[in-house]
Structure formats: structure tokens, C-alpha cells
Amino acid sequence: MFALQTSINSMMSVYSETGDYGNVRVSGEILLNISYSYKTGALNVLVRECRCLATGDERRQRTDAYVKTYLLPDKSRQSKRKTSIKSNTTNPVFNENLRYVVSHSQLEMRTLQVSVWHHDRFGHNNFLGETELTFDSWEFETQIEEWFALQPRNESYVDSVMHYKGELTVVLKYIPAERNVSLPLDQVQVKKGFLKGKKKNITLPKGGMVELLVKEAKNLTAVKGGSSDPFVKGYLLPDDKKSTKHKTAVVKRTVNPRWNHTFTYCGLQHSDLDSVCLELTVWDREPFASNVFLGGVRLGAGTGSSGEKLEEMRGERVGKAALDSVNLEGRSFLTLKDFNAEEIKPILWVSADLKHRIKHRGEYVPLLQGKSIAMIFEKRSTRTRMATETGFSLLGGHPCFLTPQDIHLGVNESTTDTARVLSGLADVVLARVYSHSSLEHLDIDASIPVINGLSDLYHPIQVLADLSTLQEHYGSLKGLTLAWIGDGNNVLHSFMMSLAKLGVNLKVATPKGYEPDANVTQEAQLLSKQFGTKLQFLMDPMEAARHSSVLVTDTWVSMGQEEEKKKRLKDFHGYQITMQTGSVAAPDWTFLHCLPRKAEEVDDEVFYSPRSLVFTEAENHKWTIMGLMVCILTDYTPQIPKLKFKKNMWEKDIKNRILSSVCHL
Ligand SMILES: NC(=O)OP(=O)(O)O
């Protein structure tokens, strides 16, 4: 028998947080604009651009760069911020603000680590260089904008700060076979349920036994409010079937937990001890998200390699891995023009995940607990207001609905002052405005994210709901053709800024004089060229509908256009969507309308038919607004794998629905 008492910090950890840095030669500089606001307690790290970066992927001769920051010594995901990825350039321009809320006295003791990475969709991201800034002699009122040379990895800092993750105390014993067989049955620890009804038939394990007492840990990383909910997981490697997994209980709200929990591993010969290894990992339990990896250690001589477990240990579950390259936290959402496909897809995914968990599984998911949203509405609303209020509350947050009659905005108080005040009182603003420039002003002055709840130029949250509805019904967006028949308005503009990025073709039929905005059109043409999708501008509604999968229209008289109503109704004559319009569309055509609807735009036969997805579309307004809020206010990872919608399932469903409609007739 041997006994061993050890602690993590006396052993070399194989769980480097530093990851795989690749072998890219470091070059280039990064332009940062750094400011600190005493008023909001926000450190704003505006990542402007990089120049002369090294090539991230030599074989493919490309660099897809993004910037990542940590406010050291905190290396937890709460401290991580990322920009979007800029494709195929060694001189990427970001102009993205990475924000930390931290008191200036805390900040004096912190180090901002700014690293640049090449994003490899199919392998490891490659390190392209970094710079570190300390704040101990910083003039906090001064804003700096400066080029910083990128440096190779600072190994000494990595060793001294990043590898130390606390200490774990364990007692390890090997009990040889001759002693093991004399153990009474109730001392042989096997998985729960194994003994149930089988006591008579149980065969005692052959060979010796490893007994591990997990006593306690000290100085673990605090991942929430100064503490964690830690537990230990253990495997005896190699273990391809995960049959040796043991876990301690969770000890709540502490970074110095005491477990005194014993794991036993049976059937081991003494000679096996040279080839096995005991992997112990410490985790923070997260009831509504992936558990957070706090540290790990391997005891024993064997390598016990098991790729699957290593992956799980790093928290890279399906969802996490796929979302890892995208960080929308703190981003405003004024237009889909600012969001690429890799940023839009996670919003749709989180939305579908929330719908599944809350609506279908009946779970309570308070991801926005303690957060507030200021909802400014210059115009009336049914769906956007209800979707935001109920959705935000459902996630545990607090919505405040404000109209110009309720608050001083634009009457007694400037937009600038209102934006600053709201930034201190809420976590996010959603604003429905007449002029898009009002949103842009709000966004400049606010230090919290601003969401466009509709402006004269764009209605991006509506299009998120539409994309999610189509994704649900068709199983995939790519390859669909959407026909917009009607006014060249804000909803169309948002489609024009997003569809090509997702591989959707667009045909637009508008009466003369009601075409979409010229700048938006020019941008959409560039996107369609870039992504190889079809984009057509027509005047004939039937031509737009021909072979299209989705027929879409909207009101012909938007809010604020009431005086033009008579003329508009005349000008839009012939644009009503009817079954005749659908007769030339694709066999599986569907209909969308963002509502409210008037009969002149679409007749009752189409509007209330099984082809019409309008009421799901209205409901999805809520799930997509919730998904968006969660993406910009938290680092939530979907609990369920990326939802898969099989096309043949949908085809069956729509055929059944059409059939049942025929029966009613
Ligand atoms: N589609 C839409 O934005 O509806 P409301 O105007 O009711 O918010």
C-alpha cells in the first residue's frame, strides 16, 4: 500500500489556459483608443485597426484576424472580450469597443492583455501577437490613441499568473488485490443504481483498487460575485467509454471548498499503475450554462490520452465551440449591415435554444436577472413592445417602457443627457424612433448597447424574427428565394443588408417611385456579388413571385405617412398578394408579413391560409429579441446542440397542413 498527499501547485499542470499558439512569426501593430469614464466606471478599449500582421495561415495564404482582451489577472470568461473576425486581411479595421466596468482603484492593479489571433474555422486559432498595458501610472481622465507594437507571448507572465489556478488536496491509496477481496460489499463503491436488486449476483472486482480521497481546494478562481460553486470530476485514463467517471458534490459559494469525498477505481494490478493516470478537474457548476473549467491535474505516470475528455474538460461542448469565435457582448444593434453571417447565426441559434428550453421544455432561464432595459417608443407598437417586455421579464430582467410623454427626451433634456442618464440606470436601450439618426446619436452618447426597435431606415429585429421563422420552416435558409412585393421600406432594407450573407436570393417588386433607398441598394448589390446570390429589382409582382419560396409584403402606408394614404393606395394598385400571385411561386411557397396588416396588401385567402407564417413570425419576434438580448448582455452558450431542422420533416408537415386546409374547404 502507498499513500500520497499532494497539491496541484506542486505538479506540472497539463491544462494550460494558454492553448495552442501555433508557430506564426509575430509582426505588426495595433491601434487602440483607451479611455476611462469615472461616471460609468467603464474602461473603453476601442480597437481601431491593426497593420502589417503576420500571415495566419501560410498554406492558404490568408489572415482572418480578431482581437481578444483580458483584464488580468482575471482569465475567466467574464474577463474575455473579443472583436468580430475580419476576413482575409493583414490590415484589419475593427472600430469595435471592448468595455469593462471596473472601479479605477481596481483598475490600477490590473493589466490589460490585448492579443491578436488568426481564426481558423477548421483547426486551432493561431496567435499573431500581443501587447499588455498596465494602469498603475495611468492618467485616468486622459484618452489615448496609440499604435502598440505586437510582441511574442509573454511566457513569464503566463507561467506566474495564468497557470496558477489554486490548490487541490487529495489522498491517494492503492489497495492490492489480496486486501481488496476481503472488503465487505458495502465498501466497494460502484455507480448508483448498480446494486439495486442485484446484490446476490454481484461479482467482486478482480485485482487491486485505487482509492482517492478528494479533500479540499484552496484559492480557486471566483467566477461569479466573488465566489464559485465548485465540484471535482475524476477519470482514470485511458478510458474510452467514460465508465470511470466520478464526481463530488457541489459546494456552494466558495473558492475554498471542502469535499472529503472518496473515488474508488477497481480491477487494477500493481503493474497497471505505470500506465494509467488519474485526471482530476475542478469545475464551477452553472445551472443555466456550460460549467466553467477552473483547473485540472493529472496524477500518475500514464499519459491516458483521451481526446474526447480533454475537449469536455475545456468546456468546448458543441455549442461553446461553435460560438467561441463570436462575441456580441456589449454590441449595439442598429442595423444588420454591421453584422456578418457568423454573428447573425448565433443570435438565431440562441433564440431557437431559448424557445426550445422555455416554451417546449418549460424551463425557467433567468439569464437577465438583475438587468434592466429602457424601451423608448416614439411610435406605437404591439409586437415589439410586447415581445420585449414579456421576453425580458421571462429571462428575469426588468423592462421599463418610456414614451416621449413619459420622459424628458427631446423636450426638457437633450438626447446626449438622456443617453448618459439611461446608461447609468439600465443595461441596454431599445428605441423605436422616427429618424435613424436619432438612434445613431443615442448610440454615440450611451455607454450601454442600443437596439433599433424600428427607424425610418431599418427594422432589423423584425428581420431576425423573419429569418428565424424561415429557418424553422425550411430547415435551412441557404438557397431560398424571397420575393418582396410592395413598398421599398425599412423592413426591406434590413432584408437587403442580411439575406445575401445567409445565401438567400432576393427579388424586389415595387411601384415606380417606391424603390428602396439608393445607398442601401448599392450596398445590397455589393453583398449579392460578394456572396454569389441573386438580387433583382422589378416592377411586376408576378415576375417577383415566379419560382420564389417566400412572398413578403408590408404595410403600404407606414406610420407617419397617413397623409399620403390616398395616393399610395392608387400607386400600389395591382400589388396585392393573392393565391394567383402564389400560383407562379415555388410549390412550397409561404407568406410573411410583419404586421399590422391591411387587406389591400394581402387578401384573407392567403393571409389566413396554411401558407401564411405570420402568427409564428409575430411570436418569433419575442424569441429573437430574447436571443439578441442574451447575446449582447451575457456570454450564454446554448444548452442544446445546434438545432437541426430536416427539410423532409418540414415538407411532410406543410403537406399535412395544406391537406387539412383543403378538408376544411
Ligand atoms: N412588426 C412590428 O414591428 O410590429 P409593431 O409595430 O406592433 O411593433
Side-chain angles (χ1 to χ4, degrees):
M1 184 176 84
F2 71 89
L4 167 70
Q5 183 147 353
T6 187
S7 63
I8 279 180
N9 65 339
S10 66
M11 312 183 74
M12 194 188 89
S13 171
V14 292
Y15 307 116
S16 167
E17 266 281 293
T18 56
D20 182 351
Y21 286 87
N23 297 312
V24 175
R25 174 188 53 86
V26 170
S27 70
E29 296 173 292
I30 183 165
L31 180 61
L32 300 172
N33 180 307
I34 298 180
S35 61
Y36 182 80
S37 162
Y38 278 104
K39 279 188 191 145
T40 58
L43 173 71
N44 291 301
V45 181
L46 177 59
V47 180
R48 287 215 181 276
E49 59 184 295
C50 296
R51 64 186 177 202
C52 306
L53 292 179
T55 303
D57 182 340
E58 281 291 344
R59 193 172 57 81
R60 292 163 64 226
Q61 276 299 302
R62 63 182 290 144
T63 303
D64 298 327
Y66 69 94
V67 175
K68 181 163 74 171
T69 61
Y70 283 104
L71 204 52
L72 300 177
D74 186 357
K75 279 285 292 184
S76 72
R77 60 184 178 164
Q78 274 71 20
S79 166
K80 183 164 77 174
R81 305 282 186 277
K82 279 184 190 176
T83 63
S84 58
I85 300 160
K86 299 296 168 197
S87 296
N88 208 10
T89 173
T90 51
N91 299 300
V93 177
F94 298 98
N95 283 322
E96 288 178 40
N97 192 31
L98 307 178
R99 183 169 172 270
Y100 292 92
V101 176
V102 55
S103 70
H104 73 278
S105 54
Q106 270 278 325
L107 191 56
E108 280 174 346
M109 296 182 285
R110 302 293 194 94
T111 298
L112 180 72
Q113 183 187 62
V114 183
S115 54
V116 186
W117 297 78
H118 163 71
H119 172 69
D120 185 341
R121 291 177 60 198
F122 306 107
H124 285 292
N125 295 340
N126 276 336
F127 174 73
L128 298 178
E130 71 176 12
T131 185
E132 281 174 4
L133 286 89
T134 53
F135 296 96
D136 46 357
S137 54
W138 186 268
E139 291 288 339
F140 282 99
E141 291 289 12
T142 320
Q143 175 169 321
I144 63 143
E145 181 152 316
E146 207 173 305
W147 284 98
F148 295 91
L150 293 170
Q151 309 284 347
R153 175 107 303 204
N154 184 350
E155 293 295 346
S156 61
Y157 199 87
V158 168
D159 288 346
S160 64
V161 176
M162 286 147 71
H163 280 184
Y164 181 76
K165 297 190 150 295
E167 296 152 41
L168 180 71
T169 304
V170 298
V171 179
L172 184 62
K173 280 200 287 202
Y174 176 66
I175 304 169
E178 57 277 16
R179 191 164 172 272
N180 185 18
V181 291
S182 66
L183 280 174
L185 192 59
D186 60 5
Q187 281 188 30
V188 179
Q189 193 177 345
V190 288
K191 276 189 182 286
K192 243 191 207 168
F194 183 75
L195 292 176
K196 202 177 167 188
K198 293 186 181 174
K199 273 195 176 178
K200 283 184 199 130
N201 305 331
I202 191 163
T203 324
L204 281 175
K206 293 196 170 64
M209 182 163 77
V210 166
E211 197 176 85
L212 175 94
L213 172 65
V214 183
K215 286 190 78 171
E216 61 186 33
K218 288 207 174 104
N219 304 324
L220 296 177
T221 308
V223 298
K224 50 201 171 201
S227 78
S228 294
D229 296 336
F231 69 95
V232 176
K233 195 158 43 167
Y235 285 99
L236 190 71
L237 302 182
D239 174 9
D240 295 333
K241 293 183 184 143
K242 290 189 171 180
S243 54
T244 64
K245 179 171 162 183
H246 283 284
K247 281 200 277 190
T248 66
V250 175
V251 182
K252 294 220 162 170
R253 290 183 289 280
T254 178
V255 290
N256 299 304
R258 185 177 285 252
W259 293 285
N260 282 326
H261 186 115
T262 303
F263 299 164
T264 49
Y265 301 94
C266 302
L268 287 163
Q269 306 299 338
H270 197 272
S271 56
D272 292 336
L273 298 179
D274 290 338
S275 56
V276 296
C277 113
L278 196 52
E279 178 185 282
L280 299 174
T281 49
V282 188
W283 300 79
D284 163 66
R285 175 87 185 108
E286 290 292 326
F288 302 112
S290 301
N291 296 328
V292 179
F293 176 62
L294 298 178
V297 64
R298 281 183 175 175
L299 308 173
T303 58
S305 64
S306 167
E308 194 185 356
K309 271 196 298 297
L310 281 174
E311 203 176 304
E312 187 192 340
M313 180 196 73
R314 290 183 182 135
E316 291 173 359
R317 297 186 350 185
V318 186
K320 175 78 179 151
L323 278 182
D324 206 34
S325 59
V326 180
N327 181 359
L328 300 175
E329 266 183 271
R331 288 272 296 272
S332 285
F333 190 75
L334 302 192
T335 162
L336 282 159
K337 183 178 167 184
D338 298 340
F339 286 73
N340 63 33
E342 300 322 310
E343 293 164 332
I344 297 168
K345 284 178 189 167
I347 300 173
L348 298 178
W349 184 10
V350 172
S351 308
D353 174 84
L354 294 174
K355 185 174 182 179
H356 181 78
R357 289 186 65 193
I358 298 170
K359 182 175 177 177
H360 301 303
R361 281 206 212 139
E363 288 182 48
Y364 178 49
V365 188
L367 292 166
L368 301 182
Q369 204 161 38
K371 299 203 189 296
S372 312
I373 181 168
M375 300 164 57
I376 300 174
F377 279 69
E378 288 182 355
K379 295 176 167 187
R380 76 180 78 137
S381 160
T382 302
R383 279 143 290 272
T384 308
R385 175 179 177 177
M386 275 300 289
T388 310
E389 282 197 18
T390 57
F392 212 83
S393 304
L394 205 51
L395 293 168
H398 181 80
C400 301
F401 180 72
L402 311 163
T403 71
Q405 282 75 46
D406 304 313
I407 56 171
H408 296 293
L409 177 66
V411 184
N412 275 333
E413 198 168 42
S414 67
T415 311
T416 302
D417 291 358
T418 303
R420 289 190 181 182
V421 168
L422 290 180
S423 300
L425 296 173
D427 299 277
V428 56
V429 181
L430 179 139
R432 171 167 285 198
V433 295
Y434 282 100
S435 165
H436 192 74
S437 61
S438 305
L439 280 175
E440 289 172 337
H441 286 144
L442 198 58
D443 192 39
I444 288 168
D445 293 321
S447 56
I448 54 177
V450 176
I451 311 297
N452 181 353
L454 179 146
S455 70
D456 56 348
L457 197 54
Y458 295 114
H459 195 359
I461 50 172
Q462 179 60 53
V463 165
L464 282 184
D466 294 1
L467 292 172
S468 137
T469 305
L470 296 177
Q471 171 73 21
E472 267 181 26
H473 281 264
Y474 288 97
S476 158
L477 296 172
K478 199 171 170 161
L480 292 178
T481 298
L482 190 141
W484 178 273
I485 297 171
D487 191 16
N489 69 8
N490 49 5
V491 180
L492 173 61
H493 291 163
S494 288
F495 274 127
M496 289 166 74
M497 290 300 101
S498 56
L499 291 184
K501 296 170 187 171
L502 297 158
V504 180
N505 306 308
L506 175 63
K507 290 181 174 187
V508 177
T510 52
K512 193 165 170 41
Y514 296 93
E515 296 86 357
D517 175 88
N519 290 330
V520 176
T521 302
Q522 200 177 12
E523 185 78 29
Q525 279 162 335
L526 288 174
L527 287 173
S528 129
K529 206 167 165 190
Q530 185 184 349
F531 293 99
T533 57
K534 291 190 190 117
L535 175 64
Q536 278 182 286
F537 294 97
L538 309 154
M539 286 175 64
D540 180 355
M542 294 304 276
E543 219 26 65
R546 195 174 305 285
H547 309 308
S548 294
S549 323
V550 191
L551 308 185
V552 195
T553 191
D554 190 6
T555 181
W556 294 346
V557 187
S558 291
M559 284 179 271
Q561 296 173 334
E562 289 77 6
E563 284 179 12
E564 299 170 37
K565 186 172 176 183
K566 213 168 154 192
K567 176 173 170 12
R568 283 182 162 257
L569 292 186
K570 190 162 158 264
D571 291 345
F572 281 85
H573 182 72
Y575 279 75
Q576 187 194 42
I577 294 180
T578 63
M579 281 296 175
Q580 199 194 342
T581 324
S583 68
V584 296
D588 60 354
W589 70 274
T590 53
F591 173 75
L592 292 180
H593 189 306
C594 75
L595 311 182
R597 160 259 183 182
K598 308 278 181 324
E600 62 255 17
E601 300 136 16
V602 52
D603 69 3
D604 282 0
E605 195 183 3
V606 170
F607 188 72
Y608 294 111
S609 79
R611 302 274 188 185
S612 171
L613 307 179
V614 295
F615 296 109
T616 308
E617 182 187 2
E619 182 195 326
N620 282 343
H621 215 49
K622 170 159 137 174
W623 301 110
T624 44
I625 286 175
M626 289 163 74
L628 175 66
M629 297 297 169
V630 165
C631 285
I632 63 170
L633 294 176
T634 79
D635 65 352
Y636 174 71
T637 300
Q639 288 275 290
I640 51 173
K642 195 171 185 177
L643 292 181
K644 297 223 186 321
F645 304 94
K646 289 195 182 110
K647 197 165 181 160
N648 55 1
M649 272 175 62
W650 177 82
E651 278 170 351
K652 191 165 160 250
D653 181 46
I654 192 81
K655 274 178 194 150
N656 287 342
R657 291 172 62 198
I658 290 165
L659 193 64
S660 72
S661 153
V662 170
C663 290
H664 281 295
L665 292 172

